[in-house]
Amino acid sequence: MTAPNELRLLPWSGPEGKPCYLNTDDKGGYMSRLADNIEAVQLGTAAELLQHASDTLDDQDQGPENLRRLAKELTGALRDVLRVATSRGHLLAASDPHRP
């Protein structure tokens, strides 16, 4: 199995918002592929939301309720993207052959 510092942070939270980790050497296994697919969806959603945010902010007629909803959606997307970046950063560090 993987060393504790090589656990994969999964792109979803567990009970009470706590992080979930995957402990496996099988990067092509079901859970690894599921996590990869969910990360891809999260990143795609964030890209679409960014375009929507740009369009919404360019529209001077947007009311406060629409802007609050947009801010809430952006906050969720940013949380997802940050989790993906953290997970991938850990994976890169764990696979670095020059790491002490």
Side-chain angles (χ1 to χ4, degrees):
M1 281 294 160
T2 55
N5 61 341
E6 296 176 6
L7 296 176
R8 178 178 181 170
L9 176 64
L10 294 171
W12 56 81
S13 298
E16 301 172 10
K18 294 183 179 180
C20 293
Y21 294 92
L22 178 61
N23 181 9
T24 183
D25 290 330
D26 186 4
K27 296 187 189 312
Y30 174 78
M31 289 302 293
S32 293
R33 289 191 327 271
L34 178 63
D36 290 343
N37 290 337
I38 290 175
E39 286 178 351
V41 168
Q42 289 173 328
L43 293 174
T45 299
E48 291 173 9
L49 185 55
L50 181 58
Q51 181 60 52
H52 173 68
S54 293
D55 295 343
T56 299
L57 293 173
D58 286 342
D59 182 354
Q60 298 295 321
D61 295 329
Q62 292 296 322
E65 189 60 36
N66 285 341
L67 294 175
R68 274 193 291 278
R69 184 174 32 255
L70 176 62
K72 186 174 182 177
E73 291 171 359
L74 286 169
T75 300
L78 182 58
R79 184 178 299 113
D80 291 343
V81 168
L82 181 59
R83 184 183 299 270
V84 171
T86 300
S87 176
R88 292 185 181 184
H90 289 179
L91 292 174
L92 289 173
S95 65
D96 183 359
H98 302 294
R99 195 178 98 205

